[in-house]
Amino acid sequence: MSDRQEDMDAAKEDATGKDGAEAKPAIVLVRPQMGENIGAAARAMMNFALDEMRLVAPRDGWPNPKAYSLASRADRILDEARLVAHTGEAIADCHRVYAMTARRRDMFKPAMTPREAVADIRAALAGGQRAAVLFGAEKSGLDNDDVVLADTIIHIPANPAFSSLNLGQAVLLFAYEWFHAGFTPEPPRPLSGHMAPASKEELMHLFNHLETELEDADFFAAVPDKRPVMIRNIRNLFQRANLAEQDVRTLRGIIKALSHGRRWRRQAGGGHSESGGNSNS
Amino acid sequence: MSDRQEDMDAAKEDATGKDGAEAKPAIVLVRPQMGENIGAAARAMMNFALDEMRLVAPRDGWPNPKAYSLASRADRILDEARLVAHTGEAIADCHRVYAMTARRRDMFKPAMTPREAVADIRAALAGGQRAAVLFGAEKSGLDNDDVVLADTIIHIPANPAFSSLNLGQAVLLFAYEWFHAGFTPEPPRPLSGHMAPASKEELMHLFNHLETELEDADFFAAVPDKRPVMIRNIRNLFQRANLAEQDVRTLRGIIKALSHGRRWRRQAGGGHSESGGNSNS
């Protein structure tokens, strides 16, 4: 089995779950013009685990080599795309149809954001219905005759002075919302070896080590009444840092290294050269 | 003032609000390669009302004509982009830095979705902090040395077997989430003329008209005990349709037209030819 086949299978398994039957909306590209945009739409679908593309009368015929060259590893979606002549054929088996439009339409239909539409679609699919989303041609968008076929209009919230998105981007944003709604974050990976989080015991050893050395360096000597609050601040600082075991070892090495000269000088009869805590508080 | 200038001003006003001072995160492109992707990132920012681009050592120098040719009306963002040599310079004035990465990193930093990151950024900005989001080069993504500079990693939830997004798409999805979090749906526009919703009075007239004609056509005659539930079903059907004034007029015209033959025949002495309600129930 090639790597590519494995990727495909992994994608399929991820997308469809154990029973191979997660229901998903079909993506219907209505009279798309540039093959590149069909390929970009396929990639976006693959990125976010949508499988089913339907093509209504693509301008440059079908199959289109430019679509394939842009789709790269998402070409399975193009291979399986269903080609039809009219929008009505593309949605004949669906119960709920959504039209992605940039412009508002005086059509007296409910309008939703992609996020709202995805929730609506997931509810319809859970009830055993089939759903499709219509995307129009690059320049002109959907004809009113296509929009009439939809139950609901989808608008992408965007800067009203600069709202134009290309076909691939519109499919990308819808597909992203589709995937996001079904996304459960991976549990944090067990952190191996050096990234294991420090135990509280290791943290207490660190605190004790640091505070002993600070005492020894007369860090608190000039401001004895501030000692408790200073210790609390220092502990909070390291507590917040969410240290790993290795971090604790590193910090203890640092403390040891910094203390080395002082201890050495003292043993050799020299005085303290470090400044006290007052300049650090 | 040109149309284009007006568009720009409208975009700016929309983006910044009345006081011209809405705080937004800076988008930092770290060692981007293709000019086209820099232009696509600028368009995505303009689509979703982000203003501030910073460029760390773009491979092909700066300014880059290919970036401008793709950016089209978003070229103001490129004009104002700040060029720096190192990532550290790009974020020196920021308090919170986020790194968009495709791969998980064993960096022991919090990881967020774009949606979570946007909420986090908005909270930081509201507290007077400045924030930046780092995006890496097309192929290689961010170096670990760049990720180290970030407080938080952003992962886009995607099909694990096909998660690669190009630079423009990654910026698009982040910017979309940024805009969406601040988006309040426009109130429904007052529907003018023929699209005004029907009043309940108009609806009641419609129901009365229809039910009178159905009585006259003996629609209920065969199943008199089912009459109340049939009337309720018919009323519910039209109630759900959320009719406009014009729809009501259209429907009343239809009822009148369909009834015309029956009334005419009766006046001319003919019998009923329509079937009763039992075949329609």
Side-chain angles (χ1 to χ4, degrees), chain B residues 36-69:
Chain B
E36 292 85 341
N37 288 330
I38 302 173
R43 282 188 66 89
M45 291 171 63
M46 189 85 170
N47 280 138
F48 297 113
L50 289 173
D51 305 319
E52 193 178 348
M53 178 183 278
R54 300 178 183 183
L55 292 168
V56 180
R59 182 190 65 185
D60 298 337
W62 194 254
N64 180 330
K66 286 181 180 164
Y68 275 87
S69 82

Side-chain angles (χ1 to χ4, degrees), chain A residues 4-137:
Chain A
R4 186 163 150 227
Q5 188 56 46
E6 281 177 5
D7 280 352
M8 291 293 173
D9 290 351
K12 189 159 188 176
E13 181 180 323
D14 175 70
T16 55
K18 294 279 179 265
D19 60 359
E22 191 202 340
K24 300 175 181 183
I27 298 298
V28 182
L29 307 187
V30 181
R31 290 180 290 283
Q33 297 171 354
M34 294 173 67
E36 292 85 339
N37 288 330
I38 302 172
R43 281 187 67 88
M45 290 171 63
M46 188 85 170
N47 281 138
F48 297 113
L50 288 172
D51 306 318
E52 193 178 348
M53 178 184 278
R54 300 179 182 182
L55 292 168
V56 180
R59 184 191 62 185
D60 298 337
W62 193 253
N64 181 330
K66 285 181 181 166
Y68 276 86
S69 81
L70 206 126
S72 77
R73 290 199 298 121
D75 51 4
R76 190 191 58 180
I77 287 173
L78 300 180
D79 290 340
E80 298 177 358
R82 183 143 70 87
L83 180 67
V84 297
H86 303 288
T87 308
E89 294 168 65
I91 61 171
D93 62 335
C94 296
H95 307 89
R96 296 281 303 155
V97 175
Y98 301 76
M100 179 72 81
T101 77
R103 288 169 289 143
R104 288 183 71 112
R105 313 263 179 155
D106 278 330
M107 283 250 189
F108 215 58
K109 286 181 196 289
M112 297 183 178
T113 62
R115 194 166 302 169
E116 292 164 340
V118 159
D120 203 57
I121 291 169
R122 285 187 175 265
L125 297 177
Q129 299 184 22
R130 282 187 292 276
V133 186
L134 309 179
F135 293 82

Side-chain angles (χ1 to χ4, degrees), chain B residues 23-89:
Chain B
K24 300 176 181 182
I27 298 298
V28 182
L29 307 187
V30 180
R31 290 179 291 282
Q33 296 171 354
M34 295 174 66
E36 292 85 341
N37 288 330
I38 302 173
R43 282 188 66 89
M45 291 171 63
M46 189 85 170
N47 280 138
F48 297 113
L50 289 173
D51 305 319
E52 193 178 348
M53 178 183 278
R54 300 178 183 183
L55 292 168
V56 180
R59 182 190 65 185
D60 298 337
W62 194 254
N64 180 330
K66 286 181 180 164
Y68 275 87
S69 82
L70 205 127
S72 77
R73 290 199 299 121
D75 52 2
R76 189 191 58 178
I77 287 172
L78 299 180
D79 290 340
E80 297 177 358
R82 184 143 70 86
L83 179 68
V84 298
H86 303 287
T87 308
E89 294 168 65

Side-chain angles (χ1 to χ4, degrees), chain B residues 7-31:
Chain B
D7 279 353
M8 292 292 174
D9 290 350
K12 188 159 189 175
E13 182 180 323
D14 173 70
T16 55
K18 292 280 179 263
D19 60 0
E22 191 202 339
K24 300 176 181 182
I27 298 298
V28 182
L29 307 187
V30 180
R31 290 179 291 282

Side-chain angles (χ1 to χ4, degrees), chain B residues 8-278:
Chain B
M8 292 292 174
D9 290 350
K12 188 159 189 175
E13 182 180 323
D14 173 70
T16 55
K18 292 280 179 263
D19 60 0
E22 191 202 339
K24 300 176 181 182
I27 298 298
V28 182
L29 307 187
V30 180
R31 290 179 291 282
Q33 296 171 354
M34 295 174 66
E36 292 85 341
N37 288 330
I38 302 173
R43 282 188 66 89
M45 291 171 63
M46 189 85 170
N47 280 138
F48 297 113
L50 289 173
D51 305 319
E52 193 178 348
M53 178 183 278
R54 300 178 183 183
L55 292 168
V56 180
R59 182 190 65 185
D60 298 337
W62 194 254
N64 180 330
K66 286 181 180 164
Y68 275 87
S69 82
L70 205 127
S72 77
R73 290 199 299 121
D75 52 2
R76 189 191 58 178
I77 287 172
L78 299 180
D79 290 340
E80 297 177 358
R82 184 143 70 86
L83 179 68
V84 298
H86 303 287
T87 308
E89 294 168 65
I91 61 171
D93 62 334
C94 295
H95 307 89
R96 296 281 304 155
V97 174
Y98 302 75
M100 179 73 80
T101 78
R103 288 169 290 144
R104 289 183 71 112
R105 312 264 181 155
D106 278 330
M107 283 251 189
F108 217 56
K109 286 181 196 290
M112 298 183 177
T113 62
R115 194 167 302 168
E116 292 165 340
V118 159
D120 202 58
I121 291 169
R122 286 187 175 266
L125 297 176
Q129 299 184 23
R130 281 188 293 276
V133 185
L134 308 180
F135 293 81
E138 288 84 346
K139 293 273 150 116
S140 48
L142 291 167
D143 286 350
N144 283 339
D145 287 344
D146 298 317
V147 177
V148 160
L149 299 173
D151 302 293
T152 302
I153 286 171
I154 305 178
H155 281 298
I156 295 173
N159 181 346
F162 197 79
S163 62
S164 79
L165 294 164
N166 72 32
L167 177 58
Q169 291 172 319
V171 173
L172 184 80
L173 291 173
F174 173 81
Y176 165 77
E177 286 285 4
W178 165 260
F179 191 88
H180 204 296
F183 171 68
T184 39
E186 290 177 60
R189 282 196 293 194
L191 293 161
S192 59
H194 69 289
M195 291 311 291
S199 70
K200 294 304 173 195
E201 183 182 25
E202 290 164 324
L203 213 56
M204 289 311 300
H205 287 316
L206 169 67
F207 292 159
N208 290 339
H209 182 181
L210 176 61
E211 289 154 18
T212 301
E213 290 296 350
L214 290 175
E215 291 283 6
D216 187 71
D218 290 339
F219 183 80
F220 304 111
V223 285
D225 54 321
K226 289 200 178 163
R227 186 180 182 285
V229 72
M230 288 168 72
I231 286 189
R232 203 178 317 130
N233 288 344
I234 293 166
R235 289 188 173 203
N236 272 338
L237 182 165
F238 286 109
Q239 193 79 49
R240 273 200 307 275
N242 213 1
L243 300 172
E245 280 179 2
Q246 178 58 47
D247 297 328
V248 171
R249 282 195 289 275
T250 302
L251 285 168
R252 295 194 64 175
I254 288 170
I255 296 164
K256 196 168 167 192
L258 295 179
S259 303
H260 184 71
R262 171 170 41 77
R263 289 204 180 280
W264 182 86
R265 266 198 300 276
R266 179 175 310 159
Q267 280 154 20
H272 293 171
S273 65
E274 285 81 5
S275 61
N278 48 348

Side-chain angles (χ1 to χ4, degrees), chain A:
Chain A
M1 184 186 273
S2 69
D3 282 353
R4 186 163 150 227
Q5 188 56 46
E6 281 177 5
D7 280 352
M8 291 293 173
D9 290 351
K12 189 159 188 176
E13 181 180 323
D14 175 70
T16 55
K18 294 279 179 265
D19 60 359
E22 191 202 340
K24 300 175 181 183
I27 298 298
V28 182
L29 307 187
V30 181
R31 290 180 290 283
Q33 297 171 354
M34 294 173 67
E36 292 85 339
N37 288 330
I38 302 172
R43 281 187 67 88
M45 290 171 63
M46 188 85 170
N47 281 138
F48 297 113
L50 288 172
D51 306 318
E52 193 178 348
M53 178 184 278
R54 300 179 182 182
L55 292 168
V56 180
R59 184 191 62 185
D60 298 337
W62 193 253
N64 181 330
K66 285 181 181 166
Y68 276 86
S69 81
L70 206 126
S72 77
R73 290 199 298 121
D75 51 4
R76 190 191 58 180
I77 287 173
L78 300 180
D79 290 340
E80 298 177 358
R82 183 143 70 87
L83 180 67
V84 297
H86 303 288
T87 308
E89 294 168 65
I91 61 171
D93 62 335
C94 296
H95 307 89
R96 296 281 303 155
V97 175
Y98 301 76
M100 179 72 81
T101 77
R103 288 169 289 143
R104 288 183 71 112
R105 313 263 179 155
D106 278 330
M107 283 250 189
F108 215 58
K109 286 181 196 289
M112 297 183 178
T113 62
R115 194 166 302 169
E116 292 164 340
V118 159
D120 203 57
I121 291 169
R122 285 187 175 265
L125 297 177
Q129 299 184 22
R130 282 187 292 276
V133 186
L134 309 179
F135 293 82
E138 289 84 346
K139 292 275 150 116
S140 48
L142 290 168
D143 286 351
N144 282 340
D145 288 343
D146 298 316
V147 177
V148 160
L149 299 173
D151 302 292
T152 302
I153 286 172
I154 306 178
H155 280 299
I156 295 173
N159 181 346
F162 197 79
S163 61
S164 79
L165 293 164
N166 71 32
L167 177 57
Q169 290 173 319
V171 173
L172 183 80
L173 291 173
F174 173 81
Y176 165 78
E177 287 285 6
W178 166 261
F179 190 89
H180 205 296
F183 171 70
T184 39
E186 291 177 60
R189 283 195 294 194
L191 292 162
S192 59
H194 67 290
M195 292 311 291
S199 70
K200 294 303 173 195
E201 183 182 24
E202 289 164 325
L203 213 55
M204 288 311 300
H205 286 319
L206 169 68
F207 292 159
N208 289 339
H209 182 181
L210 177 61
E211 289 156 17
T212 302
E213 291 295 350
L214 290 174
E215 290 284 4
D216 187 71
D218 290 340
F219 183 79
F220 304 111
V223 286
D225 54 320
K226 290 200 178 160
R227 187 180 182 283
V229 72
M230 288 166 73
I231 285 188
R232 202 179 317 130
N233 288 345
I234 292 165
R235 289 186 172 204
N236 272 338
L237 181 165
F238 287 109
Q239 194 80 50
R240 272 200 309 272
N242 213 1
L243 300 172
E245 281 179 1
Q246 178 58 47
D247 296 328
V248 170
R249 283 195 288 276
T250 302
L251 285 167
R252 295 194 65 176
I254 289 171
I255 295 164
K256 196 169 166 192
L258 295 179
S259 301
H260 183 71
R262 172 169 41 78
R263 289 205 180 279
W264 183 85
R265 266 198 299 278
R266 182 176 307 159
Q267 280 156 18
H272 294 170
S273 67
E274 284 83 3
S275 60
N278 48 349
S279 67
N280 294 295
S281 63

